[in-house]
Amino acid sequence: MPNDITHESGEGLSPTLERNIQALVARRRREQRAASGQDKLADAITAFTGSMIFVYLHLAVFGFWIIANLHWIPGLPAWDESFVVLAMIASVEAIFLSTFVLISQNRMTAAADKRADLDLQISLLAEHELTKVARLLTQIADRLDVKPDAERDLQEAARDIAPERVLDKIEETRS
């Protein structure tokens, strides 16, 4: 009999997983709607400049510029024979494009930090709940006078973990 975290074979996702996916999608949509106009513009520019259309457009424009200024098109006078103007345009464009990419990366980093914080909180909650379950199992085993094969492991699992101590230990090993 399926419950809220299982499903019948042949069915799609479990109802809980489906609900979680819908909640995440709704959250991302809310965050996208809540983004400032400047952030939306930066994201749109970054998306366009990261596309093949942008590459083809630059290939056409820069290719034409170079060919025209090398006098390879009869009847068309050169306007930038030393390509100084082209270099300046490309440099200014690179400055702005890198800024737009950095703006988008900053937003993506902030979103990743939020997800990492959520992951940590869920992991800590799961660890806390599993510790309670291990304690309960130990109490049940004691009451039934059952000696588990892995009694030491069960006792270890029943101990609370201090997350700040784990972080301290990780930092100590990096030094």
Side-chain angles (χ1 to χ4, degrees):
M1 170 183 239
N3 61 30
D4 67 332
I5 60 171
T6 63
H7 62 88
E8 297 282 342
S9 59
E11 285 185 12
L13 303 174
S14 71
T16 300
L17 188 54
E18 186 73 36
R19 184 195 72 222
N20 291 347
I21 290 170
Q22 293 303 321
L24 290 173
V25 168
R27 171 116 189 171
R28 285 199 178 159
R29 286 184 180 144
R30 277 194 315 271
E31 287 175 355
Q32 287 173 345
R33 284 192 304 269
S36 71
Q38 293 173 348
D39 287 337
K40 289 177 183 178
L41 178 62
D43 286 344
I45 291 170
T46 301
F48 174 67
T49 59
S51 70
M52 286 306 294
I53 293 172
F54 184 76
V55 172
Y56 298 142
L57 180 65
H58 275 71
L59 184 62
V61 170
F62 288 174
F64 172 75
W65 191 295
I66 293 168
I67 290 170
N69 285 289
L70 290 174
H71 301 285
W72 291 358
I73 301 176
L76 186 64
W79 63 89
D80 186 23
E81 289 184 7
S82 64
F83 298 104
V84 171
V85 176
L86 180 62
M88 180 194 63
I89 290 171
S91 296
V92 170
E93 180 183 51
I95 291 167
F96 281 105
L97 291 180
S98 62
T99 303
F100 290 125
V101 168
L102 288 172
I103 291 168
S104 293
Q105 284 181 336
N106 287 342
R107 286 193 52 216
M108 290 169 51
T109 299
D113 287 346
K114 283 182 189 177
R115 286 191 296 275
D117 287 345
L118 177 62
D119 286 346
L120 176 61
Q121 292 300 322
I122 289 171
S123 294
L124 290 173
L125 180 62
E127 189 279 327
H128 179 71
E129 290 172 349
L130 288 174
T131 299
K132 286 181 174 181
V133 170
R135 284 184 188 147
L136 181 62
L137 284 175
T138 301
Q139 291 171 353
I140 291 170
D142 288 345
R143 181 164 294 217
L144 296 176
D145 200 27
V146 174
K147 295 292 180 203
D149 292 338
E151 187 172 349
R152 184 170 178 238
D153 291 339
L154 190 56
Q155 288 173 350
E156 185 178 327
R159 290 180 27 215
D160 279 320
I161 304 256
E164 62 279 358
R165 181 66 188 123
V166 174
L167 291 172
D168 291 344
K169 192 68 171 174
I170 290 170
E171 288 178 11
E172 284 175 17
T173 60
R174 289 185 181 165
S175 301

